[in-house]
């Protein structure tokens, strides 16, 4: 594992609850707002050994003020040929030292590529963040639940809730996938019922 970033600088302002609806496609430049229109771009992305995640989601994750909730059975799985901890290292790096969000929950499925020893790094990062920010208004909690395919077998798409904004992903949350796929943002997680839905699924997956 490596040391994690100190994070971006902040000006102390808080954005309004109104969201701009946008759609993104994953590409090797981070993300784009239009379909890829040439085979060179498509092939470059498809052949990448380590596809770059979407910059827009990475930024939203790193500047979250309250919650980061993720529903994706394959979120922690590394790309083929990469070390087992490679995806987890990337996600942990987004949890930088000045992260304001205190409720981080990852609802995923148990996969053979990721064993329990790697999941423990999230607990270590939680402890580090609470030591680094002892005066935060609320203790930071990072929870990983891997019972999505056991206790809730009805999910197809993948979702993320960042503060009160809903993101919808056609493939892996964060845009890590190498094939052509899209993500959209700008939906109210409150008005759409996404927050209540997440709580329903989380509660169901807490049981044995």
């Amino acid at each position: 594992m490596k040391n994690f970033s100190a994070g971006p600088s902040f000006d102390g302002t808080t954005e309004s609850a109104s969201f701009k609806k946008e759609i993104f496609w994953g590409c090797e430049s981070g993300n784009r707002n239009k379909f890829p229109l040439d085979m060179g771009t498509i092939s470059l992305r498809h052949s990448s050994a380590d596809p770059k995640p979407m910059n827009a989601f990475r930024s939203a994750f790193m500047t979250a003020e309250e919650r980061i909730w993720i529903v994706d059975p394959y979120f922690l799985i590394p790309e083929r040929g990469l070390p087992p901890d490679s995806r987890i290292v990337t996600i942990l790096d987004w949890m930088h030292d000045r992260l304001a969000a205190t409720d981080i929950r990852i609802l995923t499925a148990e996969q053979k590529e990721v064993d329990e020893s790697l999941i423990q790094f999230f607990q270590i990062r939680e402890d580090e963040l609470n030591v680094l920010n002892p005066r935060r208004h609320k203790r930071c909690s990072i929870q990983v639940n891997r019972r999505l395919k056991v206790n809730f077998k009805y999910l197809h798409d993948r979702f993320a809730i960042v503060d009160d904004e809903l993101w919808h992903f056609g493939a892996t949350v964060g845009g890590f996938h190498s094939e052509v796929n899209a993500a959209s943002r700008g939906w109210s997680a409150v008005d759409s019922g996404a927050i209540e839905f997440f709580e329903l699924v989380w509660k169901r997956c807490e049981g044995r």
Side-chain angles (χ1 to χ4, degrees), residues 92-108:
L92 289 172
D93 194 49
W94 295 355
M95 299 176 186
H96 57 86
D97 295 350
R98 297 177 63 189
L99 183 67
T102 57
D103 185 2
I104 304 170
R105 289 189 254 174
I106 299 171
L107 189 51
T108 187

Side-chain angles (χ1 to χ4, degrees), residues 22-26 54 57 69-72 155-162 165-175 181-189 192 194 197:
E22 297 181 276
I23 191 164
F24 303 100
W25 278 266
M54 292 179 179
F57 183 74
W69 294 354
I70 292 166
V71 185
D72 180 351
L155 190 73
H156 183 275
D157 292 7
R158 297 96 182 270
F159 306 94
I161 299 172
V162 180
E165 182 180 19
L166 172 65
W167 289 67
H168 172 246
F169 289 86
T172 308
V173 166
N181 67 97
S184 66
R185 69 179 300 185
W187 315 98
S188 169
S192 66
F197 173 77

Side-chain angles (χ1 to χ4, degrees), residues 134-201:
R135 296 183 180 179
R136 65 166 68 238
H137 71 283
K138 186 178 179 181
R139 180 177 174 82
C140 179
S141 171
I142 303 174
Q143 302 179 71
V144 180
N145 186 317
R146 297 203 293 165
R147 298 187 62 79
L148 186 56
K149 289 289 189 178
V150 176
N151 289 14
F152 193 85
K153 303 176 181 179
Y154 313 100
L155 190 73
H156 183 275
D157 292 7
R158 297 96 182 270
F159 306 94
I161 299 172
V162 180
D163 293 330
D164 289 336
E165 182 180 19
L166 172 65
W167 289 67
H168 172 246
F169 289 86
T172 308
V173 166
F176 292 94
H177 201 68
S178 64
E179 296 177 345
V180 177
N181 67 97
S184 66
R185 69 179 300 185
W187 315 98
S188 169
V190 177
D191 296 344
S192 66
I195 290 177
E196 292 177 277
F197 173 77
F198 182 93
E199 293 283 22
L200 169 71
V201 181

Side-chain angles (χ1 to χ4, degrees), residues 95-97 125-133 136 140:
M95 299 176 186
H96 57 86
D97 295 350
R125 191 59 181 147
E126 175 189 302
D127 294 340
E128 290 173 342
L129 290 175
N130 285 306
V131 169
L132 289 166
N133 298 282
R136 65 166 68 238
C140 179

Side-chain angles (χ1 to χ4, degrees), residues 59-78:
S59 177
F61 188 112
M62 295 179 71
T63 56
E65 295 288 333
E66 179 185 356
R67 70 167 66 87
I68 303 166
W69 294 354
I70 292 166
V71 185
D72 180 351
Y74 309 106
F75 185 54
L76 304 180
I77 298 178

